[in-house]
Amino acid sequence: MDEKAVGSYIDKLKKNINRDYISKDIESAMAGIASVARINYHYNQIYKDDFLEKYVQMIADDISVHITRDELCKNTILFYDWFGYDVRGLAYIYLKAILHNGYHLVYITKDSAKGMQPEIFSLFADKTVDVIYFSEKDSYLNNTKQLISIIEQYKPKYMFYYTCPYDPAGAVAFTRFKGIITRFQIDLTDHTAWLGLNTFDYIIEFREYGGLVSCEYRGINCDKIRVLPYYPCINYDMKFQGFPFDRNGKKVIFSGGALYKTIDKEKTYYKIVEDLLSYNNNIVFLYAGAGPHEMLDNLEIKFPGKVFHISERKDLYQLMKNSDLYLSTYPFAGGLMIQYAVMASCIPLTLQRKGANDIDGILREQDSSGLFFSDIDELENAAKKVLTDEEYAANLKNDMQGRIITEKEFEKELNNIIKEKQTNTQITKLHLDTTQFRNGMKENFTKFDIYRAIARKKNKVLIKKYPWIFLLRILKSIRK
């Protein structure tokens, strides 16, 4: 989509945010903030938006709070989880570490998560935990007020902010407690734009890449940045659900994640898969994930009985454990999927875009792992060798050991961040060029991404301002 056209939509939204704030229509202003933040996230040509941060701060300043630092409960941590996932993402391992370190936990998440988090709630058994739900269907302003009320009630000494890139309710609430409560943000989406530069006293990045983006592109003082790598949350006891084909005598290449991560103009990912399938008749390719699947369907037609597409699986670890090779998506690779593969001893091979570094820091001493490539031919040769040379594959598997932080190391490091505000992992690089990555995001951005950012149920207050966008979104959904 043309850059000027995107800018035009954003400018109009920002003008309305200003008008709404002046006229005290705060709900409409917050809906506008959410819309622009969502566009920034998908378009990703900037990493911060000073205009949005200014209005989040002003809305926060207009709200009264009634607690002081002297009233805080020293051993209480409030954890705000906007996502409400179970083991997906980072919430589970943080909550586990917080509880293992002996803190009283106040856990806040959305009401749609009720009954959907069995693993997280297994952590809460016999622990001192208060669970509070907020309503997704409520207004942004009411969500903000509810969150502030909960914080005032429990008076935590520490708060963790774990949210999506476009959450004005959480951003306003956490911003309001600056100077009162020690606030930590867990930066889940370190590679792209997000809202909330004033929500934290310390930001926890899971790799050096995120720390560099925050320091160099978001303008965050390096003294506020802490790096804590994550480890994948794995259910080792889950039963393997099997393959949708006969495994006997086959070499299995597995891949997965949101399918948009496999799309570029050159169809690079699908050419790689095609080359590998053509190499040996005993190779089978299995993809798990949702999204635009036309090119995957074409592969199924071209290679009948050798290409299979399934939905996401809960037995991901077991699925990888029974596969021979994990092929990372391209042009956007998934860091957590690579970690899962390492833990499952399923050799992960990743093609990195030239000049891009958005996958840096997923593994310890990643550059020496022999698993990452910038040349297609080199990756394909390595994949063929993994599938045919048992000694080569065994050596790679052996070298993969120790490249992911352990659970005990994570828990110790997190407690050091909370108590001492320090961590052992340091940022060593001085500069990061994200041009290639941002160009890829721009290439995939469409006008419909703008419609989806504005025309949402949560933003219904904006219908009068953008009626045709809401109408187009509805029509598009009907056609789908």
Side-chain angles (χ1 to χ4, degrees):
M1 186 177 175
D2 179 73
E3 192 172 343
K4 288 184 178 179
V6 178
S8 178
Y9 281 101
I10 291 175
D11 287 345
K12 183 177 180 181
L13 281 160
K14 287 183 175 180
K15 286 178 182 177
N16 282 327
I17 291 169
N18 179 58
R19 292 192 190 104
D20 290 334
Y21 178 78
I22 291 172
S23 65
K24 301 302 179 185
D25 187 353
I26 303 304
E27 180 61 26
S28 187
M30 293 179 77
I33 291 170
S35 300
V36 177
R38 192 182 284 263
I39 293 171
N40 288 342
Y41 165 67
H42 287 290
Y43 193 47
N44 198 42
Q45 298 310 296
I46 59 172
Y47 288 95
K48 64 171 182 173
D49 193 318
D50 292 332
F51 178 93
L52 299 187
E53 300 297 346
K54 170 186 172 183
Y55 280 87
V56 166
Q57 183 68 62
M58 289 194 301
I59 294 170
D61 289 343
D62 290 339
I63 300 173
S64 298
V65 296
H66 306 94
I67 59 172
T68 64
R69 293 185 70 88
D70 294 336
E71 300 176 75
L72 302 182
C73 301
K74 294 183 178 180
N75 202 47
T76 297
I77 290 178
L78 182 142
F79 193 101
Y80 171 68
D81 177 8
W82 182 91
F83 300 98
Y85 298 140
D86 194 19
V87 294
R88 181 179 176 182
L90 301 179
Y92 179 89
I93 64 173
Y94 270 86
L95 294 170
K96 188 174 187 179
I98 288 168
L99 291 171
H100 280 192
N101 281 310
Y103 293 98
H104 168 217
L105 174 66
V106 179
Y107 178 63
I108 305 174
T109 192
K110 57 179 65 174
D111 54 8
S112 61
K114 285 183 181 179
M116 305 299 289
Q117 298 173 294
E119 296 299 327
I120 282 180
F121 271 77
S122 70
L123 297 176
F124 296 168
D126 302 321
K127 302 289 184 183
T128 309
V129 181
D130 292 289
V131 180
I132 302 108
Y133 295 100
F134 67 89
S135 173
E136 295 172 83
K137 296 178 180 179
D138 211 340
S139 67
Y140 292 113
L141 189 54
N142 283 345
N143 284 157
T144 301
K145 291 177 179 178
Q146 182 184 8
L147 184 51
I148 287 174
S149 176
I150 294 166
I151 294 168
E152 289 182 320
Q153 177 185 350
Y154 287 95
K155 302 177 178 61
K157 183 176 177 62
Y158 310 104
M159 299 198 300
F160 280 79
Y161 187 58
Y162 179 67
T163 191
C164 69
Y166 33 80
D167 175 17
V172 170
F174 269 70
T175 295
R176 185 60 188 85
F177 288 94
K178 179 180 180 180
I180 302 174
I181 297 171
T182 302
R183 306 159 303 157
F184 301 94
Q185 177 173 327
I186 302 168
D187 188 4
L188 180 65
T189 48
D190 67 349
H191 61 289
T192 188
W194 43 253
L195 182 70
L197 284 178
N198 299 307
T199 58
F200 58 87
D201 299 293
Y202 300 92
I203 184 167
I204 304 175
E205 307 285 355
F206 61 81
R207 54 180 175 164
E208 185 177 36
Y209 177 94
L212 286 167
V213 170
S214 284
C215 184
E216 189 172 354
Y217 292 93
R218 303 191 210 278
I220 297 171
N221 191 312
C222 289
D223 291 341
K224 293 184 173 183
I225 299 171
R226 302 291 180 267
V227 180
L228 177 59
Y230 60 78
Y231 66 91
C233 175
I234 296 172
N235 185 341
Y236 295 98
D237 299 324
M238 174 121 4
K239 185 179 179 182
F240 178 47
Q241 297 173 16
F243 290 114
F245 51 83
D246 182 2
R247 174 72 166 85
N248 190 36
K250 301 289 194 306
K251 290 289 186 178
V252 179
I253 299 175
F254 174 69
S255 190
L259 272 161
Y260 80 86
K261 294 183 177 182
T262 66
I263 298 172
D264 66 349
K265 288 182 179 179
E266 293 77 23
K267 301 180 181 179
T268 306
Y269 177 82
Y270 295 92
K271 289 177 182 177
I272 292 171
V273 176
E274 186 171 333
D275 288 346
L276 294 177
L277 289 173
S278 300
Y279 171 68
N280 191 312
N281 286 331
N282 292 328
I283 295 174
V284 175
F285 178 73
L286 175 66
Y287 194 97
H293 50 81
E294 181 181 349
M295 285 186 281
L296 194 56
D297 293 343
N298 291 338
L299 275 181
E300 288 189 70
I301 295 170
K302 189 167 186 177
F303 296 93
K306 296 187 67 177
V307 177
F308 298 87
H309 180 200
I310 60 175
S311 58
E312 290 186 9
R313 291 265 291 260
K314 290 185 177 181
D315 63 331
L316 178 61
Y317 171 80
Q318 288 74 14
L319 189 59
M320 288 185 169
K321 195 76 176 172
N322 285 277
S323 299
D324 298 287
L325 183 151
Y326 174 75
L327 179 65
S328 293
T329 48
Y330 181 90
F332 305 110
L336 193 57
M337 295 291 277
I338 293 171
Q339 285 200 342
Y340 257 91
V342 168
M343 296 296 287
S345 295
C346 176
I347 297 169
L349 299 183
T350 301
L351 179 66
Q352 295 180 281
R353 286 166 291 120
K354 292 180 180 179
N357 37 29
D358 51 289
I359 204 68
D360 284 0
I362 297 301
L363 305 178
R364 286 173 168 168
E365 299 180 12
Q366 185 165 300
D367 293 342
S368 64
S369 67
L371 303 173
F372 296 80
F373 305 84
S374 57
D375 181 83
I376 295 174
D377 291 336
E378 289 182 4
L379 177 134
E380 290 186 4
N381 289 336
K384 292 170 184 177
K385 205 170 180 181
V386 166
L387 296 171
T388 57
D389 187 333
E390 292 185 5
E391 183 179 353
Y392 176 76
N395 287 336
L396 274 182
K397 288 180 181 180
N398 184 62
D399 193 53
M400 281 158 37
Q401 304 303 312
R403 292 192 180 271
I404 298 173
I405 191 172
T406 67
E407 182 179 322
K408 287 186 177 180
E409 287 174 318
F410 180 89
E411 291 177 1
K412 182 179 179 180
E413 286 284 272
L414 181 60
N415 205 36
N416 283 339
I417 290 174
I418 295 170
K419 290 292 183 67
E420 308 297 332
K421 314 301 183 292
Q422 297 298 329
T423 180
N424 288 328
T425 306
Q426 303 298 322
I427 299 173
T428 58
K429 294 180 181 179
L430 300 175
H431 174 64
L432 182 69
D433 186 352
T434 65
T435 304
Q436 290 293 328
F437 179 72
R438 285 184 284 112
N439 286 344
M441 296 289 283
K442 182 192 288 186
E443 184 179 296
N444 287 336
F445 191 82
T446 68
K447 188 177 287 188
F448 191 61
D449 288 314
I450 290 178
Y451 297 165
R452 288 189 301 176
I454 299 171
R456 311 188 70 81
K457 289 181 180 178
K458 190 86 169 177
N459 295 345
K460 58 182 180 292
V461 69
L462 299 179
I463 290 178
K464 290 182 179 179
K465 290 184 176 71
Y466 309 97
W468 61 276
I469 289 181
F470 277 83
L471 179 60
L472 287 171
R473 174 78 194 274
I474 293 169
L475 292 174
K476 180 84 172 180
S477 299
I478 291 172
R479 288 196 196 100
K480 277 192 173 183

